[in-house]
Amino acid sequence: DVQLQASGGGLVQPGGSLRLSCVVSGITVADYTIGWARQAPGKEREGVSCHSRHGGITYYADSVKGRFTFSRDNAKNTVHLQLNDLKPEDTAVYYCAPDLRGVGCYEPPRPFDSRGQGTLVTVSS
């Protein structure tokens, strides 16, 4: 059973930064394409970033390019998402998920199914 524990969210002012982490158990992260998605209140979940296990390619949604950075720590079975220059429109619950259904990592990234609880990011002055 795959378990996902996201953390690192919080309240931050516009222009601020956060580093999200997602500890994965039940699978070996290095063997899977992994993605981050977010869901703002009243909106559908959207893909933010994905990192393919094939060739290590990373894609980002246009809205976060140049501001967000995906990384992996395979030794800790953990993935991260560095969020810089945050904007109010980045406010959402952020989720990580492995690509268990073979959706694939493409541009723009699509959200993978996630049963994790996510971590809330609120950008406000």
Side-chain angles (χ1 to χ4, degrees), residues 16-83:
S17 297
L18 287 171
R19 187 179 191 234
L20 307 184
S21 298
C22 180
V23 179
V24 183
S25 59
I27 60 169
T28 300
V29 163
D31 295 338
Y32 285 85
T33 290
I34 303 288
W36 283 94
R38 67 186 180 185
Q39 187 164 18
K43 295 187 177 181
E44 292 187 357
R45 191 171 297 191
E46 63 170 340
V48 174
S49 179
C50 60
H51 182 268
S52 174
R53 69 183 183 95
H54 302 293
I57 297 172
T58 305
Y59 291 113
Y60 299 94
D62 285 345
S63 58
V64 308
K65 279 182 182 177
R67 301 189 296 121
F68 291 8
T69 303
F70 183 107
S71 63
R72 290 179 186 249
D73 185 342
N74 290 335
K76 295 183 178 180
N77 225 39
T78 300
V79 297
H80 302 282
L81 189 68
Q82 178 69 37
L83 285 57

